[in-house]
Amino acid sequence: DAKTTQPNSMESNEEEPVHLPCNHSTISGTDYIHWYRQLPSQGPEYVIHGLTSNVNNRMASLAIAEDRKSSTLILHRATLRDAAVYYCILRDPIQGGSEKLVFGKGTKLTVNP
Amino acid sequence: NAGVTQTPKFQVLKTGQSMTLQCAQDMNHNSMYWYRQDPGMGLRLIYYSASEGTTDKGEVPNGYNVSRLNKREFSLRLESAAPSQTSVYFCASIRLAGVYEQYFGPGTRLTVT
């Protein structure tokens, strides 16, 4: 399974943008890049995903490098509620229901008031 | 639409006792998963079920058994609990593995003394 590398922790100030990086140098052509986050004492929740093009939704933006070996999750204006652990995961739809998602340790984001 | 539900929310067991963690989803999802999360760690896949009637081992299956009772329900059984199984257990489901996001339950906090 292709692996991802993320910084252990990052800090941001409230209402400032946050860029969370993820390296995935062994990504295959069919892997989608997914981001999840886990708020304290909760299960992970889906944030965004993409394949090649940059993606936007109401929660965040995903910027994918042209060679797809790295990506960046962008929170445009961090709030205290965005303090969480953020996971970058690669998913291969060709595996169908047999895929085994691999969650690393993720990046713990601290948002300062 | 309750999403993914898990019971119980908390459980304390003595070493050697057995118990079953229950998980149900009402989203008509095909694939279901069991993860464990130890303090300060990412999620590790225990078992998964790609579709009704099938189950397969994940990263850390030893000491656990699972049953995919029907499309809605996926249970995790600890036959003889050990202190090393103290963890938070998350169940998740997905409609179609690959592109679509996983939905997670709220978790079961298990302590084995």
Side-chain angles (χ1 to χ4, degrees):
Chain A
D1 295 326
K3 296 288 189 287
T4 62
T5 305
Q6 299 176 253
N8 289 333
S9 61
M10 291 185 67
E11 266 192 62
S12 172
N13 295 321
E14 205 174 3
E15 298 193 4
E16 289 185 354
V18 181
H19 289 66
L20 298 164
C22 181
N23 286 319
H24 28 79
S25 58
T26 59
I27 190 170
S28 74
T30 54
D31 283 337
Y32 281 75
I33 302 158
H34 281 241
W35 284 81
Y36 285 75
R37 73 178 186 181
Q38 187 173 20
L39 302 172
S41 300
Q42 294 188 29
E45 63 176 351
Y46 167 82
V47 177
I48 200 167
H49 76 272
L51 182 62
T52 55
S53 305
N54 294 344
V55 184
N56 300 299
N57 67 20
R58 63 175 180 81
M59 289 180 72
S61 296
L62 176 60
I64 301 172
E66 200 168 328
D67 63 4
R68 301 207 329 125
K69 292 184 186 299
S70 65
S71 61
T72 302
L73 179 71
I74 302 166
L75 307 178
H76 295 286
R77 290 184 65 197
T79 70
L80 296 178
R81 287 176 295 178
D82 290 322
V85 177
Y86 287 79
Y87 298 97
C88 169
I89 300 157
L90 301 182
R91 299 185 57 181
D92 180 2
I94 288 181
Q95 294 188 43
S98 302
E99 65 172 324
K100 300 178 184 180
L101 297 191
V102 178
F103 284 78
K105 294 186 181 180
T107 297
K108 182 175 183 179
L109 175 66
T110 301
V111 180
N112 300 313
Chain B
N1 191 334
V4 180
T5 56
Q6 292 183 234
T7 54
K9 285 189 169 51
F10 301 93
Q11 184 70 49
V12 178
L13 290 178
K14 288 189 166 60
T15 298
Q17 287 185 318
S18 62
M19 79 160 295
T20 300
L21 281 64
Q22 306 286 355
C23 173
Q25 50 90 11
D26 61 1
M27 298 173 283
N28 200 35
H29 285 177
N30 295 317
S31 301
M32 297 185 73
Y33 305 79
W34 276 106
Y35 294 89
R36 62 176 286 175
Q37 185 173 36
D38 299 329
M41 304 291 287
L43 283 81
R44 292 185 293 171
L45 183 64
I46 304 171
Y47 270 94
Y48 66 100
S49 171
S51 60
E52 186 180 354
T54 69
T55 61
D56 214 335
K57 295 178 181 179
E59 187 184 353
V60 288
N62 291 343
Y64 305 95
N65 286 303
V66 290
S67 294
R68 183 74 183 267
L69 304 169
N70 46 55
K71 193 171 186 179
R72 288 188 65 247
E73 298 170 291
F74 188 38
S75 62
L76 178 72
R77 182 158 179 85
L78 287 71
E79 291 291 351
S80 179
S84 60
Q85 294 178 304
T86 294
S87 190
V88 180
Y89 291 85
F90 290 101
C91 177
S93 71
I94 189 167
R95 176 161 58 95
L96 176 66
V99 178
Y100 297 97
E101 61 264 33
Q102 263 193 336
Y103 291 83
F104 284 81
T108 294
R109 292 185 178 274
L110 175 67
T111 301
V112 183
T113 61

Coordinates of all heavy atoms in Angstrom, one line a residue, chain B residues 26-93:
Chain B
D26 N -27.2 2.5 8.7 CA -28.5 2.6 8.0 C -28.4 3.3 6.7 O -29.4 3.9 6.2 CB -29.6 3.2 8.9 CG -29.2 4.6 9.3 OD1 -28.2 5.1 8.8 OD2 -30.0 5.3 10.0
M27 N -27.3 3.3 6.0 CA -27.1 4.0 4.8 C -27.0 3.0 3.6 O -26.6 3.4 2.5 CB -25.8 4.8 4.9 CG -25.9 5.9 6.0 SD -24.3 6.8 6.3 CE -23.4 5.5 7.3
N28 N -27.3 1.8 3.8 CA -27.2 0.8 2.7 C -25.8 0.6 2.2 O -25.7 0.4 1.0 CB -28.2 1.1 1.6 CG -28.6 -0.1 0.8 OD1 -28.6 -1.3 1.3 ND2 -28.8 0.1 -0.5
H29 N -24.8 0.8 3.0 CA -23.4 0.7 2.5 C -23.0 -0.8 2.4 O -23.4 -1.6 3.1 CB -22.5 1.4 3.5 CG -22.6 2.9 3.5 ND1 -21.9 3.7 4.3 CD2 -23.3 3.7 2.6 CE1 -22.1 5.0 4.0 NE2 -23.0 5.0 3.0
N30 N -22.1 -1.0 1.4 CA -21.6 -2.3 1.2 C -20.5 -2.8 2.1 O -20.5 -3.9 2.6 CB -21.1 -2.4 -0.3 CG -22.2 -2.2 -1.3 OD1 -23.3 -2.7 -1.1 ND2 -22.0 -1.5 -2.3
S31 N -19.5 -1.9 2.3 CA -18.3 -2.3 3.0 C -18.4 -1.7 4.4 O -18.8 -0.6 4.6 CB -17.1 -1.8 2.3 OG -17.0 -2.3 1.0
M32 N -17.9 -2.5 5.4 CA -17.8 -2.1 6.7 C -16.5 -2.5 7.3 O -15.8 -3.5 6.9 CB -18.9 -2.7 7.6 CG -20.3 -2.3 7.1 SD -21.7 -2.9 8.1 CE -21.5 -1.8 9.6
Y33 N -16.0 -1.7 8.3 CA -14.6 -1.8 8.8 C -14.6 -1.7 10.4 O -15.4 -1.0 10.9 CB -13.8 -0.7 8.3 CG -13.7 -0.6 6.8 CD1 -14.8 0.0 6.1 CD2 -12.7 -1.1 6.0 CE1 -14.8 0.1 4.7 CE2 -12.7 -1.0 4.6 CZ -13.7 -0.4 4.0 OH -13.7 -0.3 2.6
W34 N -13.7 -2.4 11.0 CA -13.4 -2.2 12.4 C -11.9 -1.7 12.5 O -11.0 -2.3 12.0 CB -13.6 -3.4 13.2 CG -15.0 -3.7 13.6 CD1 -15.8 -4.6 13.2 CD2 -15.6 -3.0 14.7 NE1 -17.0 -4.5 13.8 CE2 -16.9 -3.6 14.8 CE3 -15.3 -2.0 15.6 CZ2 -17.9 -3.1 15.7 CZ3 -16.3 -1.6 16.5 CH2 -17.5 -2.1 16.5
Y35 N -11.7 -0.6 13.3 CA -10.4 0.0 13.6 C -10.3 0.0 15.1 O -11.2 0.1 15.8 CB -10.3 1.4 13.0 CG -10.3 1.5 11.6 CD1 -11.5 1.7 10.9 CD2 -9.2 1.6 10.8 CE1 -11.6 1.9 9.5 CE2 -9.2 1.7 9.4 CZ -10.4 1.9 8.8 OH -10.4 2.1 7.4
R36 N -9.0 0.1 15.5 CA -8.7 0.4 16.9 C -7.7 1.6 16.9 O -6.9 1.8 15.9 CB -8.1 -0.8 17.7 CG -6.8 -1.3 17.1 CD -6.2 -2.4 18.0 NE -5.7 -1.9 19.3 CZ -5.2 -2.6 20.3 NH1 -5.3 -3.9 20.2 NH2 -4.8 -2.0 21.4
Q37 N -7.9 2.4 17.9 CA -7.0 3.6 18.0 C -6.4 3.6 19.5 O -7.2 3.8 20.4 CB -7.7 4.9 17.7 CG -6.8 6.1 17.7 CD -7.5 7.3 17.2 OE1 -8.7 7.5 17.4 NE2 -6.8 8.2 16.4
D38 N -5.1 3.5 19.6 CA -4.5 3.5 20.9 C -4.1 5.0 21.1 O -4.0 5.8 20.2 CB -3.3 2.7 20.9 CG -3.6 1.2 20.7 OD1 -4.8 0.8 21.1 OD2 -2.9 0.4 20.1
P39 N -3.9 5.4 22.4 CA -3.7 6.8 22.7 C -2.5 7.4 21.9 O -1.4 6.8 21.8 CB -3.3 6.7 24.2 CG -4.0 5.5 24.7 CD -4.0 4.5 23.6
G40 N -2.8 8.5 21.3 CA -1.7 9.2 20.5 C -1.4 8.6 19.2 O -0.4 9.0 18.6
M41 N -2.1 7.6 18.8 CA -1.8 6.8 17.6 C -2.9 7.0 16.5 O -4.0 7.5 16.8 CB -1.7 5.4 17.9 CG -0.7 5.0 19.0 SD 1.0 5.3 18.5 CE 1.2 4.0 17.3
G42 N -2.5 6.7 15.3 CA -3.5 6.7 14.2 C -4.4 5.4 14.4 O -4.3 4.6 15.3
L43 N -5.3 5.3 13.4 CA -6.2 4.1 13.4 C -5.5 2.9 12.7 O -4.8 3.1 11.7 CB -7.5 4.5 12.6 CG -8.5 5.3 13.4 CD1 -8.1 6.8 13.3 CD2 -9.9 5.1 12.8
R44 N -5.8 1.8 13.3 CA -5.3 0.5 12.7 C -6.4 -0.4 12.4 O -7.3 -0.6 13.2 CB -4.3 -0.1 13.6 CG -3.0 0.6 13.8 CD -1.9 -0.1 14.6 NE -2.4 -0.3 16.0 CZ -1.7 -1.1 16.9 NH1 -0.7 -1.8 16.5 NH2 -2.2 -1.1 18.1
L45 N -6.4 -0.9 11.2 CA -7.5 -1.7 10.7 C -7.4 -3.1 11.3 O -6.4 -3.8 11.2 CB -7.5 -1.8 9.2 CG -8.6 -2.6 8.5 CD1 -10.0 -1.9 8.7 CD2 -8.3 -2.7 7.0
I46 N -8.5 -3.6 11.9 CA -8.6 -4.9 12.5 C -9.1 -5.9 11.5 O -8.5 -6.9 11.2 CB -9.5 -4.9 13.8 CG1 -9.0 -3.8 14.8 CG2 -9.4 -6.3 14.5 CD1 -9.9 -3.6 15.9
Y47 N -10.3 -5.7 11.1 CA -11.0 -6.5 10.1 C -11.9 -5.7 9.2 O -12.3 -4.6 9.6 CB -11.9 -7.6 10.8 CG -11.3 -8.9 11.1 CD1 -10.8 -9.1 12.4 CD2 -11.3 -9.9 10.2 CE1 -10.2 -10.3 12.7 CE2 -10.7 -11.2 10.5 CZ -10.2 -11.4 11.8 OH -9.6 -12.6 12.1
Y48 N -12.2 -6.2 8.1 CA -13.2 -5.5 7.2 C -14.0 -6.5 6.5 O -13.7 -7.6 6.4 CB -12.5 -4.5 6.2 CG -11.6 -5.2 5.2 CD1 -12.1 -5.4 3.9 CD2 -10.3 -5.6 5.5 CE1 -11.3 -6.0 3.0 CE2 -9.5 -6.2 4.6 CZ -10.0 -6.4 3.3 OH -9.2 -7.0 2.3
S49 N -15.1 -5.9 6.0 CA -16.1 -6.8 5.2 C -16.4 -6.0 4.0 O -17.1 -5.0 4.0 CB -17.3 -7.0 6.1 OG -18.4 -7.6 5.3
A50 N -15.9 -6.5 2.8 CA -16.1 -5.8 1.6 C -17.6 -5.8 1.2 O -18.1 -4.9 0.5 CB -15.3 -6.4 0.5
S51 N -18.3 -6.9 1.5 CA -19.7 -7.0 1.2 C -20.3 -8.0 2.1 O -19.6 -8.8 2.9 CB -19.9 -7.4 -0.3 OG -19.3 -8.7 -0.5
E52 N -21.7 -8.1 2.2 CA -22.4 -9.0 3.0 C -21.9 -10.4 2.8 O -21.8 -10.9 1.6 CB -23.9 -8.9 2.8 CG -24.7 -9.7 3.7 CD -26.2 -9.5 3.4 OE1 -26.5 -8.7 2.5 OE2 -27.0 -10.2 4.0
G53 N -21.5 -11.1 3.8 CA -21.1 -12.5 3.7 C -19.6 -12.7 3.5 O -19.1 -13.8 3.5
T54 N -18.9 -11.6 3.5 CA -17.4 -11.7 3.3 C -16.7 -10.9 4.4 O -17.2 -9.8 4.8 CB -16.9 -11.2 2.0 OG1 -17.1 -9.8 1.9 CG2 -17.6 -11.8 0.8
T55 N -15.6 -11.5 5.0 CA -14.8 -10.7 5.9 C -13.3 -11.0 5.6 O -13.0 -12.1 5.0 CB -15.1 -11.1 7.4 OG1 -14.8 -12.5 7.6 CG2 -16.5 -10.8 7.8
D56 N -12.5 -10.1 6.0 CA -11.1 -10.3 5.8 C -10.3 -9.6 6.8 O -10.7 -8.6 7.5 CB -10.7 -9.8 4.4 CG -9.6 -10.6 3.7 OD1 -8.8 -11.3 4.5 OD2 -9.5 -10.6 2.5
K57 N -9.0 -10.1 7.0 CA -8.2 -9.5 8.1 C -7.6 -8.2 7.6 O -7.2 -8.0 6.5 CB -7.0 -10.5 8.4 CG -7.5 -11.8 9.0 CD -6.4 -12.8 9.3 CE -6.9 -14.1 9.9 NZ -5.8 -15.0 10.1
G58 N -7.4 -7.4 8.6 CA -6.7 -6.1 8.4 C -5.3 -6.2 8.9 O -4.6 -7.3 8.9
E59 N -4.8 -5.1 9.5 CA -3.4 -5.0 10.0 C -3.2 -5.7 11.3 O -2.1 -6.3 11.5 CB -3.1 -3.5 10.1 CG -1.7 -3.1 10.4 CD -1.6 -1.6 10.6 OE1 -2.6 -0.9 10.4 OE2 -0.5 -1.2 11.0
V60 N -4.2 -5.7 12.2 CA -4.0 -6.2 13.5 C -5.2 -7.1 13.9 O -5.9 -6.8 14.9 CB -3.8 -5.1 14.6 CG1 -2.5 -4.4 14.4 CG2 -5.0 -4.0 14.4
P61 N -5.4 -8.3 13.3 CA -6.6 -9.1 13.6 C -6.5 -10.1 14.8 O -7.5 -10.6 15.2 CB -6.7 -9.9 12.3 CG -5.2 -10.1 11.9 CD -4.5 -8.8 12.2
N62 N -5.2 -10.3 15.3 CA -5.1 -11.3 16.3 C -5.8 -10.9 17.6 O -5.8 -9.8 18.1 CB -3.6 -11.5 16.7 CG -2.8 -12.1 15.5 OD1 -3.4 -12.7 14.6 ND2 -1.5 -12.0 15.5
G63 N -6.6 -11.9 18.1 CA -7.4 -11.7 19.3 C -8.8 -11.3 19.1 O -9.5 -11.1 20.0
Y64 N -9.2 -11.2 17.8 CA -10.5 -10.7 17.4 C -11.2 -11.6 16.4 O -10.5 -12.3 15.6 CB -10.4 -9.3 16.8 CG -9.7 -8.2 17.6 CD1 -8.4 -8.0 17.4 CD2 -10.4 -7.5 18.6 CE1 -7.7 -7.0 18.1 CE2 -9.8 -6.5 19.3 CZ -8.4 -6.3 19.1 OH -7.8 -5.3 19.8
N65 N -12.5 -11.6 16.5 CA -13.3 -12.3 15.4 C -14.4 -11.3 15.0 O -14.8 -10.5 15.8 CB -13.9 -13.6 15.9 CG -12.8 -14.7 16.0 OD1 -12.2 -15.0 15.0 ND2 -12.7 -15.2 17.2
V66 N -14.9 -11.5 13.8 CA -15.9 -10.6 13.3 C -17.0 -11.4 12.7 O -16.8 -12.6 12.3 CB -15.4 -9.6 12.3 CG1 -14.5 -8.5 12.9 CG2 -14.7 -10.3 11.1
S67 N -18.2 -10.8 12.6 CA -19.4 -11.4 11.9 C -20.1 -10.3 11.2 O -20.4 -9.3 11.7 CB -20.3 -12.0 12.9 OG -19.8 -13.1 13.6
R68 N -20.3 -10.6 9.9 CA -21.1 -9.6 9.1 C -22.5 -10.3 9.1 O -22.8 -11.1 8.2 CB -20.6 -9.5 7.7 CG -21.4 -8.5 6.8 CD -21.1 -7.1 7.2 NE -21.9 -6.1 6.5 CZ -21.5 -5.5 5.4 NH1 -20.3 -5.8 4.9 NH2 -22.3 -4.6 4.8
L69 N -23.3 -9.9 10.0 CA -24.6 -10.5 10.3 C -25.6 -10.3 9.1 O -26.3 -11.2 8.7 CB -25.2 -10.0 11.5 CG -24.3 -10.1 12.8 CD1 -24.8 -9.3 13.9 CD2 -24.1 -11.6 13.1
N70 N -25.5 -9.2 8.5 CA -26.4 -8.8 7.4 C -25.7 -7.6 6.8 O -24.6 -7.1 7.2 CB -27.8 -8.6 7.8 CG -27.9 -7.7 9.0 OD1 -27.4 -6.6 9.0 ND2 -28.6 -8.2 10.0
K71 N -26.4 -6.9 5.8 CA -25.8 -5.8 5.2 C -25.6 -4.6 6.2 O -24.7 -3.8 6.1 CB -26.6 -5.3 4.0 CG -25.9 -4.3 3.1 CD -26.6 -4.0 1.9 CE -25.8 -3.2 0.9 NZ -26.5 -2.9 -0.3
R72 N -26.5 -4.5 7.2 CA -26.5 -3.4 8.1 C -25.5 -3.6 9.3 O -24.9 -2.6 9.8 CB -27.9 -3.3 8.8 CG -28.9 -2.7 7.9 CD -30.2 -2.4 8.7 NE -29.9 -1.4 9.7 CZ -29.9 -1.5 11.0 NH1 -30.1 -2.7 11.6 NH2 -29.8 -0.5 11.9
E73 N -25.2 -4.8 9.7 CA -24.5 -5.0 11.0 C -23.2 -5.8 10.8 O -23.1 -6.8 10.1 CB -25.5 -5.8 11.9 CG -26.7 -5.1 12.3 CD -27.7 -6.0 13.0 OE1 -28.2 -7.0 12.4 OE2 -27.9 -5.8 14.2
F74 N -22.2 -5.3 11.6 CA -20.9 -5.9 11.6 C -20.4 -5.9 13.0 O -20.1 -4.8 13.6 CB -20.0 -5.1 10.6 CG -18.6 -5.6 10.4 CD1 -18.5 -7.0 10.2 CD2 -17.6 -4.8 10.2 CE1 -17.2 -7.5 9.9 CE2 -16.3 -5.3 9.9 CZ -16.1 -6.7 9.7
S75 N -20.2 -7.1 13.6 CA -19.8 -7.1 15.0 C -18.4 -7.6 15.2 O -17.8 -8.3 14.3 CB -20.8 -8.0 15.8 OG -20.7 -9.4 15.3
L76 N -17.8 -7.1 16.3 CA -16.4 -7.5 16.6 C -16.4 -8.2 17.9 O -16.9 -7.6 18.9 CB -15.6 -6.2 16.7 CG -14.1 -6.4 17.1 CD1 -13.3 -7.0 15.9 CD2 -13.5 -5.0 17.4
R77 N -15.8 -9.4 18.0 CA -15.8 -10.1 19.2 C -14.4 -10.3 19.8 O -13.5 -10.6 19.0 CB -16.5 -11.5 19.0 CG -16.6 -12.3 20.3 CD -17.6 -13.4 20.2 NE -17.6 -14.2 21.5 CZ -18.3 -13.8 22.6 NH1 -19.0 -12.7 22.6 NH2 -18.3 -14.6 23.6
L78 N -14.3 -10.1 21.1 CA -13.1 -10.4 21.8 C -13.4 -11.6 22.6 O -14.2 -11.6 23.5 CB -12.7 -9.2 22.8 CG -12.1 -8.0 22.1 CD1 -13.2 -7.2 21.4 CD2 -11.5 -7.1 23.2
E79 N -12.7 -12.7 22.3 CA -13.0 -14.0 23.0 C -12.4 -14.1 24.4 O -13.0 -14.6 25.3 CB -12.5 -15.2 22.1 CG -13.2 -15.4 20.8 CD -14.6 -15.9 21.0 OE1 -15.0 -16.3 22.2 OE2 -15.4 -15.9 20.1
S80 N -11.2 -13.5 24.5 CA -10.5 -13.6 25.8 C -9.7 -12.3 25.9 O -8.6 -12.2 25.4 CB -9.6 -14.8 25.9 OG -8.9 -14.8 27.1
A81 N -10.4 -11.3 26.5 CA -9.8 -9.9 26.5 C -8.4 -9.9 27.2 O -8.2 -10.6 28.3 CB -10.7 -8.9 27.1
A82 N -7.5 -9.1 26.7 CA -6.2 -8.8 27.3 C -6.0 -7.3 27.5 O -6.6 -6.5 26.7 CB -5.1 -9.4 26.4
P83 N -5.2 -6.9 28.5 CA -4.9 -5.5 28.7 C -4.4 -4.8 27.4 O -4.7 -3.6 27.2 CB -3.9 -5.5 29.8 CG -4.1 -6.8 30.5 CD -4.6 -7.8 29.5
S84 N -3.7 -5.5 26.5 CA -3.2 -4.9 25.3 C -4.4 -4.5 24.3 O -4.1 -3.8 23.3 CB -2.3 -5.9 24.6 OG -3.0 -7.1 24.2
Q85 N -5.6 -5.0 24.6 CA -6.7 -4.6 23.8 C -7.5 -3.4 24.3 O -8.5 -3.0 23.7 CB -7.7 -5.8 23.7 CG -7.0 -7.0 22.9 CD -8.0 -8.2 22.8 OE1 -8.4 -8.7 23.8 NE2 -8.2 -8.7 21.6
T86 N -6.9 -2.8 25.3 CA -7.5 -1.5 25.8 C -7.3 -0.5 24.7 O -6.1 -0.3 24.3 CB -6.8 -1.1 27.1 OG1 -7.1 -2.0 28.1 CG2 -7.2 0.3 27.5
S87 N -8.3 0.1 24.3 CA -8.3 1.0 23.1 C -9.6 1.6 22.8 O -10.6 1.3 23.5 CB -7.8 0.2 21.9 OG -7.5 1.0 20.8
V88 N -9.7 2.5 21.9 CA -10.9 3.0 21.4 C -11.2 2.3 20.0 O -10.3 2.3 19.2 CB -10.9 4.5 21.2 CG1 -12.3 5.0 20.7 CG2 -10.6 5.2 22.5
Y89 N -12.4 1.7 19.9 CA -12.7 1.0 18.7 C -13.7 1.7 17.9 O -14.7 2.2 18.4 CB -13.3 -0.4 19.1 CG -12.3 -1.3 19.7 CD1 -12.0 -1.2 21.1 CD2 -11.6 -2.2 18.9 CE1 -11.0 -2.0 21.6 CE2 -10.6 -3.0 19.5 CZ -10.3 -2.9 20.8 OH -9.3 -3.7 21.4
F90 N -13.4 1.9 16.6 CA -14.3 2.6 15.7 C -14.7 1.7 14.6 O -14.0 0.9 14.0 CB -13.5 3.8 15.0 CG -13.2 4.9 15.9 CD1 -12.0 5.1 16.5 CD2 -14.2 5.8 16.3 CE1 -11.7 6.1 17.3 CE2 -13.9 6.9 17.1 CZ -12.6 7.0 17.6
C91 N -16.0 1.8 14.3 CA -16.6 1.1 13.1 C -16.8 2.1 12.0 O -17.1 3.3 12.3 CB -17.9 0.5 13.6 SG -18.8 -0.4 12.3
A92 N -16.7 1.7 10.8 CA -16.9 2.6 9.7 C -17.6 1.8 8.5 O -17.5 0.6 8.5 CB -15.6 3.2 9.2
S93 N -18.2 2.6 7.6 CA -18.8 2.0 6.5 C -18.6 2.8 5.3 O -18.3 4.0 5.4 CB -20.3 1.7 6.7 OG -21.0 2.9 6.8

